[in-house]
Every structure is written in C-alpha cells, then in structure tokens.
Amino acid sequence: MGGFRYEVITEYWPLFMEGARMTIQITIICVVLGVILGMALGMARLANARHSPWREILKYCVRWPVTVYVSFFRGTPLFVQILLMQFAILPFFIHPTEGVLLSGDIAREIRSTYGAMLAGIVAITLNAGAYLSEVFRAGIQSLDKGQMEAARSVGMTYWQAMFHIILPQAFRRMLPPLGNNAIAILKDSSLVSAIGLAELAYAARTVAGASARYWEPYITISLMYWVMTLGLAYLVKKMEEHLGKGDDVK
C-alpha cells in the first residue's frame, strides 16, 4: 500500500483547483437562485385573501401546488433529482432532434458543453428552493401580525409592507438557517460528479483512477470542502454580527 504520497497531490493540484473553482461557482449560483425561489415559494405558501373568490383561487391554485412541490423535493433524494434532470427532463426540453424548447445544432452544443452543469444547477436550485421556502415561511410567521396590519393601515400595499417592513426583520432571524442551507448546498454539489461535471469530487475520482491512489485525492478534497465550509460559516457569522442581535437589541 505504501505511505502517503504527496507527489500525487502536487502533480494533480491544478485539477483539484479547477474542481474547487467549479464547486464554488455552482454553490454561489445555486444559493442565489435558491434563496430567490425559496422566498417566492415561502410567500406563496402564506398567500391568502379575506374574501371569495380570491381566497379559493389562492388556496387551490397557489398554496396547494406549492405544497405539493415542496413535499416532492423534500421527500425524494437529491441524487435521484439530479439523475432525473440530466437524463429525463433536460433531454425533453433540449434535444438535437426532439427538444420541446431547443433542437438542432444549438441543442447539441448546449447538451455537450453545458448539459451536466445546467442539470446540476437546476436540480440543486429546485431542491434548495423547497427547503428554503420553509425557512422563509417560518421567518415571516415568527413576526407579529400586527406589523403587517400597521403597515397596511398607513397606506402601504401588501408587497410594499412585505419587502420594506416584514422581510428585513425576518431576514435577521432567518440568517442562521439560511447559512446552514448554503453549507448543505456546498456539500451536496459533490453529487453532480455522478453526471460528469468536473467539480471537486469528480477531480478526486479522476486522480484516483489515473494514479491508483485513494488516500491522497479523497483526503485532499475532504480538507478542501472543510476549509470552504469553515469559510462560509465564518462569513455567515460576520453577517450576523453586522446585522446585530435583532430582537435582542433593546
């Protein structure tokens, strides 16, 4: 078996760095899109009206479909969702001969060049949006309902009150779980290596196959993931300190 061979790491270090760059890129894109989607879904789950027919329309056309969406993406493995996106959903919309949205040479180019990345980003974003919708819903519901009523009483619309009064206060309470979900997205990005995206886990598998060594590549990416999660946790902590203690501030 031999001892730990550092030359394996140094020889393939550019490949590890390229994989880390792709991992960070996917994480940033999925976190941003996931937060936007999660906020929209969380607000949709709270959508309501005082009078008919809008009360029934919101219940059956907004809240119920969103509830089913959240239940599906939280109740099925992310790995399966990535495979479903890569081999079933994406080819349905983008295919050289039978694509519903795109076909021909442009579809072939997108599939060959960006197919794995696109499938991975879409699957992780949809999954993250489902989990983050619960974070936003809980954060909004944690505030006193009187704040919305007071904002509406001074002439604000529902959306003005939500974006100027409710969400800024709720964001302080939501920041820790948002940070935890961002870290989960960073670690879950390793699953897209199964569909051939050259991120960090894929780089380790490539190095292991080329060098017939497993300790060196997998310990290396473990340390790299650890450093990235520590860095992300530190960033979230500094954001919490910047925003203050929220309700604890008197």
Side-chain angles (χ1 to χ4, degrees):
M1 180 176 175
F4 194 90
R5 292 172 54 184
Y6 292 98
E7 62 271 18
V8 174
I9 300 175
T10 56
E11 180 181 356
Y12 292 98
W13 185 248
L15 186 60
F16 286 119
M17 292 304 296
E18 182 63 22
R21 184 194 66 80
M22 179 60 71
T23 295
I24 294 172
Q25 182 178 343
I26 293 173
T27 300
I28 293 174
I29 294 173
C30 291
V31 167
V32 172
L33 295 180
V35 166
I36 295 172
L37 178 60
M39 180 174 64
L41 294 174
M43 294 172 66
R45 296 197 69 182
L46 296 174
N48 201 0
R50 295 181 179 178
H51 307 290
S52 297
W54 289 108
R55 182 170 61 245
E56 287 74 21
I57 291 175
L58 290 175
K59 178 179 180 180
Y60 295 109
C61 298
V62 178
R63 295 206 307 272
W64 278 26
V66 170
T67 300
V68 172
Y69 169 93
V70 171
S71 177
F72 174 81
F73 279 95
R74 295 187 66 180
T76 56
L78 176 57
F79 184 67
V80 174
Q81 295 166 19
I82 292 173
L83 297 179
L84 184 65
M85 188 63 62
Q86 170 71 353
F87 298 112
I89 297 176
L90 194 62
F92 177 77
F93 290 102
I94 304 175
H95 192 274
T97 59
E98 302 175 346
V100 174
L101 292 181
L102 291 175
S103 60
D105 292 337
I106 186 171
R108 184 178 294 105
E109 177 66 21
I110 291 175
R111 288 282 297 163
S112 61
T113 307
Y114 305 105
M117 183 175 183
L118 183 59
I121 288 175
V122 172
I124 295 175
T125 297
L126 294 177
N127 181 274
Y131 281 92
L132 290 172
S133 68
E134 290 296 288
V135 174
F136 277 95
R137 183 179 65 84
I140 293 171
Q141 288 183 324
S142 70
L143 298 177
D144 192 330
K145 293 182 180 180
Q147 298 199 42
M148 173 62 77
E149 296 173 357
R152 297 296 300 275
S153 69
V154 296
M156 283 188 173
T157 65
Y158 174 85
W159 297 108
Q160 287 176 329
M162 182 62 69
F163 284 102
H164 294 288
I165 305 296
I166 304 301
L167 285 178
Q169 296 182 73
F171 183 76
R172 287 197 294 268
R173 301 183 182 185
M174 294 186 293
L175 191 55
L178 287 176
N180 291 336
N181 277 273
I183 292 174
I185 291 172
L186 170 63
K187 293 185 290 186
D188 288 343
S189 67
S190 63
L191 295 175
V192 298
S193 64
I195 59 174
L197 186 62
E199 45 71 71
L200 203 50
Y202 186 88
R205 193 170 65 189
T206 302
V207 173
S211 64
R213 301 286 300 184
Y214 296 93
W215 276 97
E216 293 83 357
Y218 287 109
I219 287 180
T220 299
I221 68 165
S222 296
L223 293 175
M224 295 177 79
Y225 276 119
W226 188 24
V227 169
M228 286 189 284
T229 55
L230 288 176
L232 189 53
Y234 177 78
L235 178 62
V236 172
K237 180 181 178 182
K238 298 306 289 186
M239 290 179 64
E240 287 187 74
E241 293 176 355
H242 177 73
L243 292 175
K245 297 296 184 179
D247 293 337
D248 293 335
V249 176
K250 302 297 184 181

